[in-house]
């Protein structure tokens, strides 16, 4: 059975009263009458068996929460967030609307397995996107539904790829050197502040009266594509120099911005 037909059968097998053999037989019979792709034939047969075709044309999106934006609002004040899901085969660029959906897209649920039903396909910035709105169903599945995010091939990449695309990737690299530098941060979101007209400005929260002092960790790292600068703004993860590290991050202004560490291994030389 072709993969696209197998996917349809897996979606409908618990909803119909025919066997897999009968399902395939009906597809073959219809194929002799209609010159259509196998997936289309499978959907037509499923519809004749009483399954809602819209569920088959828009199968649920399943993937681990790879990245997400801060909470934003539309001109009308409706909250939304941009986020990316990744599974064994591909990435999905998504946008969630509504407080109940937006509240699920957070750091506590990072890397967890999400499933989205009744989404709408749309375009954002010239790219295909999936919109989870009021009628959509967004749920978190058990962790064993997918392999760990570090094992999902579409999530993996090189530092060079991250710098060129500015997308999030999980990368394995060697830490050649590290140092720490203090900076002034927003007490609300932790972002670095910019000085302007004798005031400290947060790009998200505006003028900040009482800043926090935080530490940024700067690294020199190397993977198969070269040697790069990397930065990390989170809590101190421990000494990384001389270790083989697997981490998530994205490219920005020539640096690889690490957002999460997964593994750090000693290397015998």
């Amino acid at each position: 059975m072709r993969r696209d037909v197998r996917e349809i059968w897996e979606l409908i097998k618990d909803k119909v009263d025919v066997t897999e053999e009968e399902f395939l037989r009906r597809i073959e019979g219809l194929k002799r009458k209609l010159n259509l792709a196998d997936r289309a034939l499978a959907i037509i047969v499923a519809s004749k068996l009483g399954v809602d075709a819209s569920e088959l044309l828009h199968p649920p999106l399943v993937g681990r929460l790879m990245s997400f934006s801060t909470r934003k609002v539309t001109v009308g004040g409706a909250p939304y967030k941009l986020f990316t899901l990744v599974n064994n085969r591909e990435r999905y660029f998504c946008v969630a609307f509504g407080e109940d959906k937006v509240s699920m897209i957070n750091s506590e649920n990072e890397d967890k397995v999400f499933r989205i039903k009744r989404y709408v396909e749309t375009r954002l910035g010239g790219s295909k996107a999936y919109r989870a709105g009021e009628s959509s169903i967004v749920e978190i599945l058990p962790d064993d539904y997918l392999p760990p995010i570090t094992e999902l091939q579409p999530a993996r990449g090189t530092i060079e790829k991250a710098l060129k695309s500015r997308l999030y990737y999980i990368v394995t690299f060697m830490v050649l050197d590290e140092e720490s530098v203090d900076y002034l941060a927003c007490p609300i979101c932790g972002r670095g502040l910019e000085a302007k007209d004798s005031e400290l400005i947060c790009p998200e929260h505006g003028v900040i009266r009482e800043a926090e002092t935080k530490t940024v960790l700067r690294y020199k790292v190397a993977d198969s594509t070269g040697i790069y600068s990397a930065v990390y703004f989170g809590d101190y993860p421990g000494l990384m120099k001389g270790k083989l590290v697997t981490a998530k991050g994205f490219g920005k202004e020539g640096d690889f911005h690490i957002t999460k560490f997964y593994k750090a291994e000693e290397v015998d030389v």
Side-chain angles (χ1 to χ4, degrees), residues 135-179:
S135 62
S136 302
I137 298 173
V138 180
E139 52 193 343
I140 297 176
L141 302 181
D143 196 63
D144 60 2
Y145 199 91
L146 285 177
I149 195 167
T150 54
E151 297 178 13
L152 300 178
Q153 197 56 42
R156 302 285 308 196
T158 62
I159 297 177
E160 180 182 54
K161 195 171 185 178
L163 292 176
K164 287 182 177 180
S165 68
R166 300 188 69 176
L167 297 176
Y168 280 75
Y169 281 98
I170 293 174
V171 182
T172 297
F173 52 81
M174 190 75 182
V175 179
L176 306 178
D177 195 16
E178 69 174 86
E179 62 180 352

Side-chain angles (χ1 to χ4, degrees), residues 213-226:
T213 300
K214 290 195 173 185
T215 300
V216 57
L217 295 165
R218 295 191 173 276
Y219 302 99
K220 281 296 183 182
V221 301
D223 67 0
S224 61
T225 61

Side-chain angles (χ1 to χ4, degrees), residues 69-84:
S69 69
T70 57
R71 184 180 186 274
K72 303 176 185 292
V73 293
T74 64
V75 175
Y80 72 95
K81 272 188 182 180
L82 305 174
F83 64 101
T84 303

Side-chain angles (χ1 to χ4, degrees), residues 103-115:
S103 63
M104 297 178 68
I105 311 300
N106 57 49
S107 57
E108 290 184 1
N109 290 331
E110 183 179 4
D111 293 352
K112 289 186 178 179
V113 182
F114 278 69
R115 177 166 61 196

Side-chain angles (χ1 to χ4, degrees), residues 36 40 43-45 50 54 101 114 124 168 186 209 228 260:
L36 299 176
I43 290 174
I44 293 172
V45 171
S54 63
K101 309 294 190 303
F114 278 69
L124 282 177
Y168 280 75
C186 172
R209 301 302 180 189
Y228 304 91
K260 187 173 183 178

Side-chain angles (χ1 to χ4, degrees), residues 27-42 44:
I27 291 175
E28 288 301 316
L30 190 60
K31 195 172 187 176
R32 289 191 286 270
K33 302 175 183 178
L34 299 173
N35 182 26
L36 299 176
D38 287 350
R39 185 180 182 87
L41 294 170
I44 293 172

